[in-house]
Amino acid sequence: GGGQTEESPENVLSGFQTSAVLSDSARDKSIFLHGQLAGQEAVMILEKTPIREDSLAELLSGSKLNLEMRNDIYSTYRLQPPPHLNEIKTTVVCPATEKHVKKYQRQESFLVEERGDDYQSITLPYIQEQRFSVQWVYNILEKKAEADRIVYEDPDQTVGFVLLPDFKWDQKQVDDLYLIAISHQRGIKSLRDLTSEHIPLLQNIFQKGKEAILQRYNMPFSKLRVYLHYQPSYYHLHVHFTKLGYEAPGCSVERAHLLTDVIQNLQSDPQYYKTRTLHFPLRADDGLLSRFKDAGRL
Amino acid sequence: GGGQTEESPENVLSGFQTSAVLSDSARDKSIFLHGQLAGQEAVMILEKTPIREDSLAELLSGSKLNLEMRNDIYSTYRLQPPPHLNEIKTTVVCPATEKHVKKYQRQESFLVEERGDDYQSITLPYIQEQRFSVQWVYNILEKKAEADRIVYEDPDQTVGFVLLPDFKWDQKQVDDLYLIAISHQRGIKSLRDLTSEHIPLLQNIFQKGKEAILQRYNMPFSKLRVYLHYQPSYYHLHVHFTKLGYEAPGCSVERAHLLTDVIQNLQSDPQYYKTRTLHFPLRADDGLLSRFKDAGRL
């Protein structure tokens, strides 16, 4: 293991009892499982790690090789690398709630049209009723958790933020660079709450986030995609920084909003995101979708 | 190894000398290499294999586990599975020609910031000089080509359009549905040419395109992503209709613009797309990128 990681005395996951495959992806080499771990409900996510250029020589020389097919100039093999060069990133949520299980269950999505008044009458009441916890976000902002993962911080409580790697990124290579800037300012639930008064906050995140990523990862702005999600997956303002060319989940036009566009839109109309009709996908099992259906808006 | 495969007496790939990484994908867990094998030019493709449900129990019990992070109910680990459960599919082309090498070479992209005046001074002159031919588009509109592929047509020369399947879609299943609506009105090069006078055209494409797709493919609007590209791949107004959930190439936020957003933006500001700063990716070998570099805009 690496210098900063702790080796478990035994494999605590070997006792995981799978009850269902929630989803899987042959393209991503990932699988999402629901099951039980030490008597508690758990969700486990396995995803193979990207192939690293810096370990290629060792990978090729240290592997066992099985020839599968040979035809003219083409051959295919199955390569069995040494375990330490071929890890699987494993995320465990335990104890997991019904909500976690649902979150990872593959579901059809539907595009919802949310007018400004739909937000007030349907979406906002739903968010308030659900009381989605953002305690884990506050833990990060208060250094009660993940403090060692922080890449950059501007501690200002109005325009400041904490920048840290997204869970989806293993930080082994910059090809799938994915960082999240979390606003120190609390109470901004989403894009819908933004007005022109937040422009300094957004500009600060954009500017200092870019600079920190250049310094730390030598990644210039011209290689970055910087955006917000609507709907977000948690209702505390955060901004996504991903590498251009990396097809990060959630970077499609129906969910992502470029930060540069958001800033410009607020500059020309302070109420842009209060009044605008926004479209976004919701999964079939999302409680918010039922509310739109009940309101005759789907 | 499995029953049908042949075990190499030694690892013939251990002598592979990498000269360049042609491309790689952190998402797909693949890497494309150019190099030499036993004195000959070779291309080697490595791609991790999907995680198989039927080997999960053995995978979990037989692996070494390193704890990486723990925060509240969330933990992440690095799992080191037994080699036979965690193979890498390896394809070798040897001897490889120049053509093979080029085929797998990825072009880097750069995000360009185009202000309204950059469009006038850099992009528009470039488009005009290049005289990109759209004759093939006119052939479609005039039924001189692909007439049998047309799914729907509104023949009106101002607000009408032709709807047909994109070449990328084989029409065998609707999971990757992809159609293009091509405007009958000529001379609208891109998003930058749109003003409020085009709102009836855009609304007509949106409305009748959706209806045609519902009729022909039984696909409701709530399953569709309808958008324009900027930059487009050809300078004649066209609109993309793809299935929500299908990660169509070019549906990322840095290139795609939802048609519903375009219409709203033009409704509130007729000059929105003339004045707005737009960001888009350009490939390293794109002539337009050189122009932005020459102008000191990158």
Side-chain angles (χ1 to χ4, degrees), chain A residues 1-2 5-8 11-14 16 18 21 26-31 33 44 46-51 53 56 59-61 63-68 73-81 83-95 100 108-111 136 139-140 145-146 149 167 172 175-176 221-225 227 244-247 251-254 256-258 260-261 264-265 268 272 276-277 279 281 298, chain B residues 1-2 4-8 10-14 16 18 21 24-31 33 44 46-53 56 59-61 63-69 71-95 100 106 108-111 221-225 227 243-245 247 251-254 256-258 260-261 264-265 268 272 276-279 281 298:
Chain A
T5 62
E6 176 187 326
E7 287 199 12
S8 308
N11 182 340
V12 294
L13 301 186
S14 62
F16 185 84
T18 304
V21 175
R27 176 174 173 186
D28 299 347
K29 284 77 183 176
S30 65
I31 194 163
L33 304 169
M44 178 153 56
L46 301 170
E47 182 173 3
K48 297 202 176 182
T49 50
I51 297 175
E53 192 183 342
L56 274 174
L59 186 80
L60 291 176
S61 63
S63 294
K64 197 177 147 214
L65 194 68
N66 296 315
L67 177 68
E68 203 145 35
I73 60 171
Y74 303 97
S75 322
T76 62
Y77 301 88
R78 291 182 293 111
L79 193 75
Q80 297 184 351
H84 71 284
L85 293 180
N86 197 19
E87 296 179 325
I88 297 183
K89 182 171 165 49
T90 306
T91 304
V92 176
V93 184
C94 184
H100 291 107
E108 265 201 308
S109 284
F110 297 87
L111 196 74
W136 66 274
N139 289 347
I140 292 171
E146 304 186 48
R149 300 180 74 242
F167 281 134
K172 295 279 196 291
D175 296 324
D176 58 342
F221 171 58
S222 62
K223 309 297 284 180
L224 290 178
R225 184 197 289 121
Y227 55 98
L244 197 70
Y246 164 54
E247 294 169 41
C251 74
S252 292
V253 62
E254 70 274 18
H257 297 256
L258 281 187
T260 48
D261 287 343
Q264 283 186 88
N265 287 333
S268 57
Y272 188 97
R276 197 50 58 115
T277 296
H279 290 79
L298 197 82
Chain B
Q4 299 158 307
T5 63
E6 176 188 325
E7 287 198 14
S8 306
E10 51 180 322
N11 181 341
V12 295
L13 301 186
S14 64
F16 184 85
T18 304
V21 175
D24 59 357
S25 166
R27 173 162 179 196
D28 299 346
K29 284 75 183 176
S30 65
I31 193 164
L33 304 168
M44 179 153 58
L46 301 170
E47 182 173 4
K48 297 201 177 182
T49 48
I51 298 176
R52 291 171 53 189
E53 194 184 341
L56 274 174
L59 186 81
L60 290 176
S61 63
S63 294
K64 198 179 147 215
L65 194 68
N66 295 316
L67 176 67
E68 202 144 36
M69 188 281 303
N71 174 2
D72 193 37
I73 59 170
Y74 303 96
S75 322
T76 63
Y77 301 87
R78 293 181 291 108
L79 193 75
Q80 298 183 351
H84 71 284
L85 292 180
N86 197 19
E87 297 180 324
I88 298 183
K89 181 171 164 54
T90 307
T91 304
V92 175
V93 184
C94 183
H100 290 108
R106 195 218 337 253
E108 262 199 311
S109 284
F110 297 87
L111 196 74
F221 170 58
S222 61
K223 309 297 283 182
L224 291 178
R225 183 198 288 123
Y227 55 99
K243 180 165 183 290
L244 197 70
E247 294 172 38
C251 75
S252 292
V253 63
E254 70 273 19
H257 297 257
L258 281 188
T260 48
D261 287 343
Q264 282 186 89
N265 287 332
S268 57
Y272 188 98
R276 198 49 58 115
T277 297
L278 296 171
H279 289 80
L298 197 82

